[in-house]
Amino acid sequence: MFGSAYIRPAAAAVELVAYDIAESAGRTHTAITLRIDGHAHVTDHTEVGPVEALTAALDAHGIRVDVVSLHQTSVGSGNDSDALTLLEHRSSGGDRWMAGRGRSVLAATLSAVIAAANSIRTTVPVGSAA
C-alpha cells in the first residue's frame, strides 16, 4: 500500500531514464535524460547538485517540483540494504509527500523527485502553474 501511494503513482508519464554526474577541474556537470509522455529529453547542468539538476530539467518541461524537505533512511540493515527517501514538495494543491527507493541514497532521492513529478502531472496539467 505504501509503495502504490507514495513511490509509484498510478500514472507514470515521467520517467528518469538516466543520469550522469561528473566532476572535472573543480566543476560539477550533471546530465539528465527524462522520458515524458514517451519522448526522450536530455539536459545538461553545471555547478548544481543532482536534485537541483533534475528539478530544473523537469521545470523546463512545465513540471515544477518545489522540494521542501528530504528525509533518508535505510530500508533494512547491512551493506546490501536499499535506501528510502521521503520527499516533501509543494504544489498548487499544497504540501505533499512522496517517496523513492533505490540501491543508493542518490537513486532513492531522484526516484522520489520523479514520484513527485508524476503526482503533479496527475493533478496539474503541464504548462499550468504548479
Side-chain angles (χ1 to χ4, degrees), residues 54-76:
L54 179 54
T55 58
L58 291 163
D59 195 37
H61 295 284
I63 307 165
R64 179 155 173 67
V65 178
D66 183 13
V67 176
V68 176
S69 66
L70 295 168
H71 302 276
Q72 300 162 328
T73 190
S74 177
V75 174

Side-chain angles (χ1 to χ4, degrees), residues 2 5-9 14 16 51 54-55 58 65-67 69-72 83-89 96-102 104-120:
F2 177 85
Y6 296 99
I7 295 178
R8 295 199 184 270
V14 180
L16 177 60
V51 172
L54 179 54
T55 58
L58 291 163
V65 178
D66 183 13
V67 176
S69 66
L70 295 168
H71 302 276
Q72 300 162 328
L84 177 71
T85 296
L86 303 174
L87 178 139
E88 181 182 11
H89 67 99
R96 297 186 63 186
W97 286 91
M98 295 307 290
R101 185 174 177 162
S104 70
V105 171
L106 178 57
T109 300
L110 297 180
S111 177
V113 172
I114 292 297
N118 278 300
S119 75
I120 290 167

Side-chain angles (χ1 to χ4, degrees), residues 24-51:
S24 176
R27 294 181 56 111
T28 302
H29 174 83
T30 304
I32 300 287
T33 304
L34 296 171
R35 183 174 296 118
I36 302 173
D37 296 327
H39 302 291
H41 304 276
V42 178
T43 56
D44 293 302
H45 310 268
T46 56
E47 298 306 310
V48 297
V51 172

